[in-house]
Amino acid sequence: SPKATTLTNTSTNSSTPNQSAAVNNSVVLTKTNSTVGGYLTDQSDNTLYTYGTSISNCTGSCLSSWPPYIDKGSTTDLPINVGTIKRSDNGEVQYTYKNMPLYYFSSDSPGQVTGNGVAYFTVAKP
């Protein structure tokens, strides 16, 4: 059975009164698709997905289809609603959005949203 990952939000952002709901920086970008509406991508236009829980339950064979969005740099100055968790299976730092771990779908190419609704994963919505 999958192991749960403890949530540790390391975001250091403060919101401003006029900040829009859209998120745009080098970690998470907001895109729009006629099928799913607004959704989040990484800086390379790879769609990000959530499983709808704050626990990273995707481990083992799940990771071949749903690789986690791993932080390869700094976890400081993250945009609002973006944080990180430390994965219990390998200790890597995975990005979260509104406390939900972010994943890629291995069958997507940049700009595609083919994983929406597959195995209970949905596109991450701003």
Side-chain angles (χ1 to χ4, degrees):
S1 71
K3 293 181 181 178
T5 300
T6 304
L7 179 67
T8 306
N9 189 340
T10 60
S11 179
T12 58
N13 292 321
S14 59
S15 61
T16 57
N18 295 325
Q19 189 169 7
S20 73
V23 177
N24 286 293
N25 79 357
S26 62
V27 176
V28 179
L29 304 171
T30 302
K31 303 285 181 161
T32 303
N33 175 284
S34 61
T35 305
V36 299
Y39 66 101
L40 302 179
T41 72
D42 70 3
Q43 65 277 9
S44 299
D45 202 27
N46 295 300
T47 301
L48 298 169
Y49 296 89
T50 64
Y51 192 71
T53 177
S54 62
I55 298 171
S56 183
N57 286 324
C58 187
T59 59
S61 62
C62 174
L63 295 174
S64 63
S65 293
W66 301 99
Y69 182 24
I70 299 298
D71 175 22
K72 304 236 188 273
S74 172
T75 57
T76 60
D77 297 325
L78 294 174
I80 194 160
N81 293 320
V82 175
T84 61
I85 57 171
K86 187 173 182 179
R87 295 184 54 83
S88 63
D89 58 348
N90 60 15
E92 290 182 313
V93 176
Q94 181 177 0
Y95 285 114
T96 63
Y97 185 71
K98 295 184 178 178
N99 295 326
M100 293 185 293
L102 294 171
Y103 299 90
Y104 297 108
F105 183 48
S106 62
S107 296
D108 275 353
S109 294
Q112 291 185 319
V113 293
T114 61
N116 193 46
V118 175
Y120 302 104
F121 283 83
T122 57
V123 294
K125 301 291 243 169

